[in-house]
Amino acid sequence: METKFKEKINLMGLNKKALEDFFVSIDEKPFRATQIIKWIHQRGVSDISQMTDLSKNLREKLMAKCEIRVPEVVYEKTSKDGTKKWVIKVGEKDLIEMVLIPEKNRSTLCVSSQVGCAVDCSFCATGKQGFSRNLGLDEIIGQVWVAANSFGLPREPNSRHITNVVMMGMGEPLLNFEPVVGAMNIMTDDNAYGLSKRKVTLSTSGIVPKIDELSKVTDIALTISLHAPNDKLRDELVPINKKYPIQELLDSVKRYVDSCDDKRVTTIEYILIDGINDGLDHAEELSELLKQLPSKINLIPFNAFEGSNYLKPSGNRVKRFQAFLQDRGYVTTIRSTRGDDIMAACGQLVGQVNDRTRRKERSKNQIKTKAL
Ligand code: SAH
Ligand code: SF4
Protein backbone atom coordinates (compact mmCIF):
# COMPACT_ATOMS: atom_id res chain seq x y z
CA MET A 1 0.00 0.00 0.00
CA GLU A 2 1.24 3.47 -0.83
CA THR A 3 2.34 5.45 2.20
CA LYS A 4 1.31 9.08 2.16
CA PHE A 5 3.80 11.50 3.66
CA LYS A 6 2.58 14.82 4.93
CA GLU A 7 3.72 17.38 2.38
CA LYS A 8 6.20 19.91 3.65
CA ILE A 9 5.20 23.56 3.84
CA ASN A 10 6.41 25.46 0.79
CA LEU A 11 8.01 28.69 2.01
CA MET A 12 7.95 30.05 -1.56
CA GLY A 13 4.17 30.27 -1.26
CA LEU A 14 3.90 32.21 1.99
CA ASN A 15 3.56 35.98 2.12
CA LYS A 16 5.00 37.97 5.00
CA LYS A 17 1.96 37.65 7.23
CA ALA A 18 1.66 33.90 6.62
CA LEU A 19 5.39 33.47 7.35
CA GLU A 20 5.07 35.46 10.57
CA ASP A 21 2.12 33.30 11.65
CA PHE A 22 4.09 30.19 10.79
CA PHE A 23 7.08 31.23 12.91
CA VAL A 24 4.84 32.09 15.84
CA SER A 25 3.19 28.64 15.49
CA ILE A 26 6.60 26.97 15.91
CA ASP A 27 7.54 29.18 18.90
CA GLU A 28 9.88 31.44 16.97
CA LYS A 29 9.93 35.21 16.67
CA PRO A 30 7.88 36.72 13.80
CA PHE A 31 10.86 38.78 12.53
CA ARG A 32 12.26 35.53 11.13
CA ALA A 33 9.76 36.05 8.30
CA THR A 34 11.82 38.95 6.95
CA GLN A 35 15.01 36.91 7.11
CA ILE A 36 13.41 34.11 5.10
CA ILE A 37 11.96 36.55 2.54
CA LYS A 38 15.40 38.07 2.07
CA TRP A 39 17.04 34.68 1.58
CA ILE A 40 14.50 33.44 -0.93
CA HIS A 41 13.59 36.55 -2.86
CA GLN A 42 16.51 38.92 -2.46
CA ARG A 43 19.33 36.40 -2.63
CA GLY A 44 17.65 33.70 -4.68
CA VAL A 45 18.50 30.91 -2.24
CA SER A 46 16.30 27.82 -2.10
CA ASP A 47 18.38 25.68 0.25
CA ILE A 48 17.50 26.25 3.90
CA SER A 49 20.89 24.91 5.05
CA GLN A 50 22.55 27.91 3.37
CA MET A 51 20.62 30.45 5.44
CA THR A 52 23.54 31.24 7.67
CA ASP A 53 22.01 33.94 9.81
CA LEU A 54 19.59 31.37 11.24
CA SER A 55 20.98 29.15 13.97
CA LYS A 56 21.82 25.58 13.03
CA ASN A 57 19.03 24.42 15.29
CA LEU A 58 16.46 26.60 13.61
CA ARG A 59 17.64 25.55 10.16
CA GLU A 60 17.20 21.91 11.15
CA LYS A 61 13.79 22.59 12.62
CA LEU A 62 12.77 24.32 9.40
CA MET A 63 14.16 21.60 7.16
CA ALA A 64 12.10 19.02 9.00
CA LYS A 65 8.88 20.93 8.35
CA CYS A 66 9.40 23.03 5.25
CA GLU A 67 11.03 23.31 1.89
CA ILE A 68 11.35 25.88 -0.87
CA ARG A 69 9.85 24.40 -4.00
CA VAL A 70 11.13 26.17 -7.08
CA PRO A 71 9.37 26.12 -10.44
CA GLU A 72 10.36 23.38 -12.85
CA VAL A 73 11.58 24.98 -16.07
CA VAL A 74 10.95 22.56 -18.93
CA TYR A 75 12.03 24.82 -21.76
CA GLU A 76 13.75 28.14 -22.24
CA LYS A 77 14.67 30.00 -25.35
CA THR A 78 16.02 33.42 -26.24
CA SER A 79 14.61 35.16 -29.29
CA LYS A 80 16.70 36.97 -31.90
CA ASP A 81 15.68 40.29 -30.32
CA GLY A 82 16.77 39.17 -26.83
CA THR A 83 13.29 38.33 -25.55
CA LYS A 84 13.46 35.29 -23.35
CA LYS A 85 10.69 32.81 -22.84
CA TRP A 86 10.39 30.10 -20.21
CA VAL A 87 7.89 27.27 -20.12
CA ILE A 88 7.30 26.07 -16.59
CA LYS A 89 5.59 22.91 -15.48
CA VAL A 90 3.16 23.48 -12.65
CA GLY A 91 1.58 20.60 -10.79
CA GLU A 92 1.42 17.26 -12.53
CA LYS A 93 0.70 18.24 -16.07
CA ASP A 94 0.09 21.94 -16.67
CA LEU A 95 2.43 24.24 -18.54
CA ILE A 96 2.62 28.01 -18.19
CA GLU A 97 4.79 30.61 -19.87
CA MET A 98 6.57 33.74 -18.83
CA VAL A 99 8.50 36.19 -20.95
CA LEU A 100 11.31 38.65 -20.19
CA ILE A 101 11.57 41.61 -22.55
CA PRO A 102 14.85 43.51 -22.28
CA GLU A 103 14.93 47.07 -23.55
CA LYS A 104 17.51 49.84 -23.36
CA ASN A 105 16.79 51.12 -19.88
CA ARG A 106 14.50 48.49 -18.51
CA SER A 107 13.62 44.82 -18.48
CA THR A 108 9.99 43.81 -18.25
CA LEU A 109 8.87 40.43 -17.03
CA CYS A 110 5.49 39.24 -18.23
CA VAL A 111 4.01 36.87 -15.65
CA SER A 112 1.14 34.36 -15.88
CA SER A 113 -1.62 34.15 -13.28
CA GLN A 114 -3.64 31.15 -14.44
CA VAL A 115 -3.31 28.07 -16.60
CA GLY A 116 -5.48 29.07 -19.55
CA CYS A 117 -8.24 31.63 -19.13
CA ALA A 118 -12.01 31.44 -18.79
CA VAL A 119 -12.72 34.91 -20.21
CA ASP A 120 -12.28 33.57 -23.74
CA CYS A 121 -11.56 36.74 -25.69
CA SER A 122 -12.04 35.99 -29.36
CA PHE A 123 -8.52 37.14 -30.32
CA CYS A 124 -6.49 35.41 -27.59
CA ALA A 125 -4.67 32.09 -27.84
CA THR A 126 -4.73 31.65 -24.06
CA GLY A 127 -8.50 32.16 -24.04
CA LYS A 128 -8.96 29.65 -26.85
CA GLN A 129 -7.18 27.09 -24.74
CA GLY A 130 -9.90 27.26 -22.08
CA PHE A 131 -9.37 27.44 -18.33
CA SER A 132 -7.48 24.74 -16.44
CA ARG A 133 -6.69 26.14 -13.02
CA ASN A 134 -5.51 29.05 -10.92
CA LEU A 135 -1.84 29.38 -10.07
CA GLY A 136 -0.83 29.43 -6.42
CA LEU A 137 1.11 32.31 -4.89
CA ASP A 138 4.25 30.12 -5.02
CA GLU A 139 3.76 29.52 -8.75
CA ILE A 140 3.27 33.22 -9.50
CA ILE A 141 6.16 34.61 -7.47
CA GLY A 142 8.21 31.57 -8.52
CA GLN A 143 8.23 32.97 -12.07
CA VAL A 144 9.89 36.17 -10.85
CA TRP A 145 12.33 34.07 -8.79
CA VAL A 146 13.36 32.03 -11.85
CA ALA A 147 13.80 35.11 -14.04
CA ALA A 148 15.81 36.94 -11.37
CA ASN A 149 18.10 33.92 -10.92
CA SER A 150 18.68 33.72 -14.65
CA PHE A 151 21.04 36.70 -14.26
CA GLY A 152 23.36 34.52 -12.21
CA LEU A 153 23.90 33.50 -8.59
CA PRO A 154 24.70 34.73 -6.06
CA ARG A 155 22.48 37.68 -6.91
CA GLU A 156 24.36 40.95 -6.67
CA PRO A 157 23.06 42.98 -3.75
CA ASN A 158 20.59 45.62 -4.96
CA SER A 159 20.85 44.36 -8.52
CA ARG A 160 17.73 45.36 -10.35
CA HIS A 161 17.85 43.28 -13.48
CA ILE A 162 14.09 43.10 -13.67
CA THR A 163 12.73 46.64 -13.51
CA ASN A 164 9.07 46.05 -14.37
CA VAL A 165 6.57 43.24 -13.95
CA VAL A 166 3.34 43.05 -15.90
CA MET A 167 0.62 40.53 -15.13
CA MET A 168 0.01 40.06 -18.84
CA GLY A 169 0.95 36.45 -19.36
CA MET A 170 -1.61 33.68 -19.35
CA GLY A 171 -4.81 34.23 -17.41
CA GLU A 172 -7.04 36.92 -15.96
CA PRO A 173 -5.29 38.03 -12.76
CA LEU A 174 -8.39 39.43 -11.08
CA LEU A 175 -10.05 36.01 -11.30
CA ASN A 176 -7.24 34.67 -9.09
CA PHE A 177 -7.30 37.53 -6.66
CA GLU A 178 -5.60 36.48 -3.39
CA PRO A 179 -2.53 34.73 -4.84
CA VAL A 180 -2.00 37.51 -7.38
CA VAL A 181 -2.19 40.27 -4.77
CA GLY A 182 0.05 38.26 -2.43
CA ALA A 183 2.64 37.78 -5.17
CA MET A 184 2.51 41.46 -6.15
CA ASN A 185 3.12 42.41 -2.52
CA ILE A 186 6.30 40.32 -2.57
CA MET A 187 7.36 41.98 -5.84
CA THR A 188 7.11 45.42 -4.21
CA ASP A 189 8.57 44.39 -0.82
CA ASP A 190 11.93 46.09 -0.23
CA ASN A 191 13.20 42.91 1.39
CA ALA A 192 12.27 40.93 -1.72
CA TYR A 193 12.29 42.32 -5.29
CA GLY A 194 11.86 45.96 -4.25
CA LEU A 195 9.96 47.09 -7.34
CA SER A 196 8.10 50.37 -7.22
CA LYS A 197 4.31 50.13 -7.20
CA ARG A 198 4.20 52.09 -10.43
CA LYS A 199 6.30 49.39 -12.09
CA VAL A 200 4.17 46.42 -11.17
CA THR A 201 1.17 46.38 -13.46
CA LEU A 202 -1.99 44.36 -13.33
CA SER A 203 -3.78 44.09 -16.65
CA THR A 204 -7.44 43.15 -16.61
CA SER A 205 -10.24 42.50 -19.06
CA GLY A 206 -12.49 44.28 -16.54
CA ILE A 207 -13.78 42.28 -13.57
CA VAL A 208 -15.55 45.26 -11.99
CA PRO A 209 -16.15 44.05 -8.38
CA LYS A 210 -12.55 42.87 -8.19
CA ILE A 211 -11.24 46.27 -9.31
CA ASP A 212 -13.09 47.75 -6.34
CA GLU A 213 -11.67 45.07 -4.07
CA LEU A 214 -8.19 45.76 -5.40
CA SER A 215 -8.47 49.46 -4.57
CA LYS A 216 -8.92 48.50 -0.92
CA VAL A 217 -5.68 46.51 -0.69
CA THR A 218 -3.16 48.08 -3.06
CA ASP A 219 -2.44 50.90 -5.48
CA ILE A 220 -0.24 49.12 -8.01
CA ALA A 221 -0.57 50.20 -11.65
CA LEU A 222 -3.75 49.05 -13.36
CA THR A 223 -4.21 48.76 -17.12
CA ILE A 224 -7.47 48.02 -18.83
CA SER A 225 -7.84 45.75 -21.83
CA LEU A 226 -10.60 47.66 -23.56
CA HIS A 227 -10.14 46.66 -27.23
CA ALA A 228 -13.45 48.16 -28.42
CA PRO A 229 -15.12 51.58 -28.14
CA ASN A 230 -18.71 50.33 -27.75
CA ASP A 231 -20.54 47.53 -25.97
CA LYS A 232 -21.78 45.84 -29.13
CA LEU A 233 -18.28 45.22 -30.43
CA ARG A 234 -16.75 44.60 -27.01
CA ASP A 235 -19.40 41.95 -26.26
CA GLU A 236 -17.99 40.09 -29.26
CA LEU A 237 -14.29 40.53 -28.53
CA VAL A 238 -14.23 40.42 -24.72
CA PRO A 239 -17.29 38.40 -23.65
CA ILE A 240 -17.00 39.43 -19.96
CA ASN A 241 -18.32 42.77 -21.24
CA LYS A 242 -21.83 41.30 -21.26
CA LYS A 243 -21.54 41.06 -17.48
CA TYR A 244 -19.57 44.26 -16.86
CA PRO A 245 -20.25 46.70 -19.71
CA ILE A 246 -17.90 49.55 -20.65
CA GLN A 247 -19.43 52.33 -18.57
CA GLU A 248 -19.48 50.22 -15.41
CA LEU A 249 -15.87 49.29 -16.09
CA LEU A 250 -14.74 52.88 -16.59
CA ASP A 251 -16.59 53.94 -13.43
CA SER A 252 -14.75 51.31 -11.42
CA VAL A 253 -11.43 52.47 -12.89
CA LYS A 254 -12.25 56.03 -11.82
CA ARG A 255 -12.89 54.77 -8.30
CA TYR A 256 -9.57 52.91 -8.37
CA VAL A 257 -7.67 55.97 -9.54
CA ASP A 258 -9.38 58.12 -6.90
CA SER A 259 -8.26 55.69 -4.21
CA CYS A 260 -4.57 56.05 -5.18
CA ASP A 261 -2.44 58.58 -3.32
CA ASP A 262 -0.84 59.95 -6.47
CA LYS A 263 -2.37 61.24 -9.68
CA ARG A 264 -2.77 58.45 -12.23
CA VAL A 265 -3.21 58.25 -15.94
CA THR A 266 -4.76 54.89 -16.83
CA THR A 267 -3.28 52.87 -19.65
CA ILE A 268 -5.91 51.55 -22.02
CA GLU A 269 -4.86 48.53 -24.05
CA TYR A 270 -6.45 48.36 -27.48
CA ILE A 271 -5.70 45.46 -29.77
CA LEU A 272 -6.01 46.36 -33.45
CA ILE A 273 -7.63 43.69 -35.60
CA ASP A 274 -7.84 44.27 -39.33
CA GLY A 275 -11.31 45.38 -40.41
CA ILE A 276 -12.84 44.65 -37.01
CA ASN A 277 -12.02 47.51 -34.62
CA ASP A 278 -9.33 49.50 -36.43
CA GLY A 279 -11.37 51.99 -38.48
CA LEU A 280 -11.27 55.75 -38.00
CA ASP A 281 -14.89 55.59 -36.83
CA HIS A 282 -13.66 53.34 -34.01
CA ALA A 283 -10.83 55.76 -33.21
CA GLU A 284 -13.34 58.61 -33.09
CA GLU A 285 -15.68 56.69 -30.79
CA LEU A 286 -12.75 55.72 -28.57
CA SER A 287 -11.51 59.28 -28.26
CA GLU A 288 -15.01 60.41 -27.23
CA LEU A 289 -15.41 57.56 -24.75
CA LEU A 290 -12.12 58.19 -22.98
CA LYS A 291 -12.74 61.91 -22.43
CA GLN A 292 -14.13 60.94 -19.02
CA LEU A 293 -10.90 59.32 -17.80
CA PRO A 294 -7.32 60.62 -17.93
CA SER A 295 -5.81 57.90 -20.10
CA LYS A 296 -3.08 56.98 -22.48
CA ILE A 297 -3.64 54.40 -25.14
CA ASN A 298 -1.42 51.49 -26.02
CA LEU A 299 -2.23 49.98 -29.40
CA ILE A 300 -1.39 46.31 -29.87
CA PRO A 301 -1.39 45.05 -33.45
CA PHE A 302 -3.04 41.62 -33.39
CA ASN A 303 -0.59 38.74 -33.30
CA ALA A 304 -1.66 35.75 -35.30
CA PHE A 305 -1.84 32.24 -33.89
CA GLU A 306 -2.98 28.98 -35.35
CA GLY A 307 -6.73 28.58 -35.47
CA SER A 308 -7.57 32.27 -35.54
CA ASN A 309 -9.21 33.93 -38.53
CA TYR A 310 -8.33 37.48 -37.52
CA LEU A 311 -5.62 39.40 -39.34
CA LYS A 312 -3.02 41.93 -38.29
CA PRO A 313 -3.73 45.35 -39.81
CA SER A 314 -1.14 46.92 -42.11
CA GLY A 315 1.43 49.24 -40.58
CA ASN A 316 -0.32 52.15 -42.31
CA ARG A 317 -3.67 51.37 -40.75
CA VAL A 318 -2.06 51.13 -37.33
CA LYS A 319 -0.28 54.47 -37.79
CA ARG A 320 -3.47 56.09 -39.08
CA PHE A 321 -5.33 54.97 -35.95
CA GLN A 322 -2.51 56.24 -33.75
CA ALA A 323 -2.30 59.58 -35.52
CA PHE A 324 -6.05 60.14 -35.12
CA LEU A 325 -5.86 59.63 -31.36
CA GLN A 326 -2.72 61.73 -31.05
CA ASP A 327 -4.51 64.53 -32.90
CA ARG A 328 -7.21 64.34 -30.27
CA GLY A 329 -4.58 64.84 -27.58
CA TYR A 330 -4.09 61.28 -26.35
CA VAL A 331 -0.62 59.92 -25.70
CA THR A 332 -0.83 56.87 -27.95
CA THR A 333 1.88 54.24 -28.29
CA ILE A 334 2.16 51.16 -30.44
CA ARG A 335 3.36 48.08 -28.62
CA SER A 336 6.22 46.61 -30.58
CA THR A 337 6.03 42.92 -31.22
CA ARG A 338 8.78 41.14 -29.39
CA GLY A 339 9.77 37.52 -29.41
CA ASP A 340 7.27 36.35 -32.00
CA ASP A 341 9.87 34.03 -33.54
CA ILE A 342 9.69 31.97 -30.36
CA MET A 343 5.91 32.38 -29.92
CA ALA A 344 6.48 34.70 -26.97
CA ALA A 345 4.49 37.68 -28.23
CA CYS A 346 1.28 38.96 -26.64
CA GLY A 347 -1.59 36.58 -27.09
CA GLN A 348 0.63 33.75 -28.28
CA LEU A 349 1.16 32.25 -24.85
CA VAL A 350 -0.42 28.86 -24.57
CA GLY A 351 2.14 26.87 -22.64
CA GLN A 352 3.95 25.18 -25.44
CA VAL A 353 7.58 24.48 -26.09
CA ASN A 354 7.75 25.07 -29.82
CA ASP A 355 8.96 27.96 -31.97
CA ARG A 356 9.28 28.86 -35.60
CA THR A 357 12.39 26.83 -36.08
CA ARG A 358 10.23 23.87 -35.24
CA ARG A 359 7.15 25.06 -37.05
CA LYS A 360 6.41 21.67 -38.54
CA GLU A 361 6.19 20.16 -35.12
CA ARG A 362 3.88 22.84 -33.87
CA SER A 363 0.51 21.28 -34.52
CA LYS A 364 1.77 17.98 -33.15
CA ASN A 365 3.00 19.75 -30.01
CA GLN A 366 -0.21 21.69 -29.57
CA ILE A 367 -2.18 18.51 -29.61
CA LYS A 368 0.26 17.05 -27.09
CA THR A 369 0.02 20.13 -24.86
CA LYS A 370 -3.75 19.95 -24.91
CA ALA A 371 -3.71 16.26 -24.17
CA LEU A 372 -1.28 16.59 -21.26
N1 SAH B 1 -6.19 38.74 -18.94
C1 SAH B 1 -5.55 39.98 -18.79
C2 SAH B 1 -4.06 39.88 -18.81
C3 SAH B 1 -3.46 38.92 -19.78
S1 SAH B 1 -3.77 39.21 -21.52
C4 SAH B 1 -6.02 40.95 -19.86
O1 SAH B 1 -6.67 40.53 -20.80
O2 SAH B 1 -5.73 42.13 -19.70
C5 SAH B 1 -2.32 40.05 -21.95
C6 SAH B 1 -2.40 41.05 -23.09
O3 SAH B 1 -2.22 40.37 -24.35
C7 SAH B 1 -3.68 41.82 -23.17
O4 SAH B 1 -3.42 43.19 -23.32
C8 SAH B 1 -4.30 41.26 -24.42
O5 SAH B 1 -5.10 42.17 -25.00
C9 SAH B 1 -3.11 40.90 -25.28
N2 SAH B 1 -3.40 39.92 -26.32
C10 SAH B 1 -4.16 38.82 -26.21
N3 SAH B 1 -4.22 38.16 -27.39
C11 SAH B 1 -3.48 38.88 -28.26
C12 SAH B 1 -3.14 38.70 -29.64
N4 SAH B 1 -3.58 37.65 -30.35
N5 SAH B 1 -2.34 39.61 -30.21
C13 SAH B 1 -1.87 40.67 -29.50
N6 SAH B 1 -2.16 40.88 -28.21
C14 SAH B 1 -2.96 40.00 -27.58
FE1 SF4 C 1 -8.03 35.93 -20.80
FE2 SF4 C 1 -6.73 38.26 -21.13
FE3 SF4 C 1 -6.69 36.35 -23.05
FE4 SF4 C 1 -8.93 37.70 -22.58
S1 SF4 C 1 -6.98 38.54 -23.34
S2 SF4 C 1 -8.78 35.46 -22.86
S3 SF4 C 1 -8.85 37.97 -20.37
S4 SF4 C 1 -5.83 36.18 -21.03
Side-chain angles (χ1 to χ4, degrees):
M1 212 173 77
E2 199 186 324
T3 322
K4 280 221 162 164
F5 292 102
K6 199 166 167 251
E7 209 175 59
K8 287 185 172 178
I9 296 169
N10 183 11
L11 298 180
M12 179 74 86
L14 301 188
N15 62 18
K16 191 164 174 220
K17 172 79 176 60
L19 273 172
E20 284 173 350
D21 291 347
F22 165 71
F23 277 109
V24 170
S25 79
I26 60 165
D27 295 327
E28 296 287 341
K29 294 275 190 296
F31 75 84
R32 300 281 179 207
T34 302
Q35 283 179 299
I36 292 287
I37 286 175
K38 280 187 171 177
W39 277 112
I40 301 176
H41 298 292
Q42 204 172 61
R43 302 192 179 106
V45 168
S46 58
D47 178 354
I48 295 171
S49 71
Q50 287 177 18
M51 301 183 174
T52 45
D53 60 358
L54 306 178
S55 71
K56 197 152 179 280
N57 260 354
L58 177 53
R59 277 182 264 160
E60 273 163 13
K61 193 166 157 187
L62 286 180
M63 282 189 282
K65 287 180 192 301
C66 337
E67 62 186 346
I68 297 157
R69 282 199 290 281
V70 305
E72 188 188 338
V73 175
V74 292
Y75 174 82
E76 55 181 290
K77 176 107 184 168
T78 305
S79 148
K80 279 185 278 188
D81 63 18
T83 302
K84 193 162 180 182
K85 160 170 134 169
W86 289 265
V87 177
I88 288 175
K89 187 171 165 201
V90 290
E92 289 297 305
K93 60 180 171 56
D94 292 313
L95 299 175
I96 55 160
E97 299 189 18
M98 60 163 177
V99 178
L100 183 69
I101 307 151
E103 284 164 293
K104 228 192 216 148
N105 299 318
R106 60 179 187 176
S107 242
T108 304
L109 183 67
C110 180
V111 167
S112 292
S113 57
Q114 299 182 311
V115 184
C117 182
V119 177
D120 195 17
C121 299
S122 60
F123 51 81
C124 174
T126 306
K128 292 293 137 219
Q129 192 187 30
F131 173 71
S132 293
R133 74 166 173 89
N134 281 325
L135 295 182
L137 169 56
D138 58 324
E139 293 162 334
I140 299 170
I141 200 66
Q143 297 170 60
V144 186
W145 188 90
V146 166
N149 276 14
S150 74
F151 292 94
L153 281 175
R155 289 193 199 156
E156 297 155 33
N158 301 321
S159 65
R160 293 276 186 267
H161 291 297
I162 299 166
T163 59
N164 299 60
V165 174
V166 291
M167 299 298 306
M168 292 188 188
M170 296 165 68
E172 168 47 58
L174 288 185
L175 290 178
N176 186 18
F177 194 84
E178 295 288 332
V180 164
V181 170
M184 292 177 111
N185 284 340
I186 298 176
M187 295 172 205
T188 55
D189 184 342
D190 280 338
N191 293 312
Y193 299 94
L195 295 170
S196 116
K197 283 186 177 169
R198 311 284 301 248
K199 295 190 169 174
V200 174
T201 300
L202 188 147
S203 172
T204 181
S205 57
I207 318 295
V208 167
K210 295 289 172 187
I211 294 175
D212 285 325
E213 223 177 289
L214 192 70
S215 69
K216 296 194 179 87
V217 293
T218 186
D219 59 352
I220 46 99
L222 183 68
T223 76
I224 301 300
S225 291
L226 191 65
H227 307 315
N230 61 59
D231 283 324
K232 188 164 177 285
L233 187 52
R234 195 164 192 266
D235 282 352
E236 249 175 66
L237 301 181
V238 186
I240 196 86
N241 194 66
K242 290 180 202 141
K243 201 162 175 191
Y244 306 116
I246 291 175
Q247 195 51 52
E248 279 183 36
L249 171 57
L250 294 182
D251 287 342
S252 74
V253 177
K254 286 182 214 164
R255 290 191 293 272
Y256 185 84
V257 171
D258 283 346
S259 76
C260 297
D261 291 337
D262 46 357
K263 269 212 159 110
R264 295 279 172 100
V265 173
T266 304
T267 302
I268 301 292
E269 308 279 352
Y270 192 101
I271 193 165
L272 286 171
I273 310 172
D274 193 41
I276 302 284
N277 66 350
D278 66 341
L280 288 185
D281 49 336
H282 299 114
E284 161 96 64
E285 216 177 344
L286 183 64
S287 78
E288 288 300 311
L289 178 70
L290 293 179
K291 274 185 179 163
Q292 57 183 303
L293 178 75
S295 32
K296 59 181 179 203
I297 301 160
N298 191 20
L299 301 174
I300 316 164
F302 170 73
N303 285 318
F305 58 89
E306 253 170 36
S308 166
N309 296 324
Y310 289 142
L311 295 173
K312 188 186 228 127
S314 69
N316 277 345
R317 270 182 90 82
V318 173
K319 285 202 187 100
R320 191 182 70 145
F321 201 92
Q322 179 190 34
F324 185 95
L325 293 169
Q326 283 172 333
D327 264 8
R328 296 292 172 100
Y330 290 97
V331 172
T332 309
T333 48
I334 300 172
R335 190 188 288 172
S336 59
T337 300
R338 300 283 305 257
D340 61 341
D341 56 326
I342 56 168
M343 292 299 281
C346 295
Q348 294 183 322
L349 307 184
V350 287
Q352 62 185 19
V353 294
N354 48 18
D355 56 60
R356 276 194 188 153
T357 57
R358 294 166 58 199
R359 191 184 270 283
K360 280 194 204 129
E361 288 177 44
R362 181 175 305 162
S363 50
K364 221 164 58 191
N365 271 342
Q366 270 175 338
I367 293 163
K368 267 196 220 147
T369 307
K370 280 197 179 125
L372 275 172

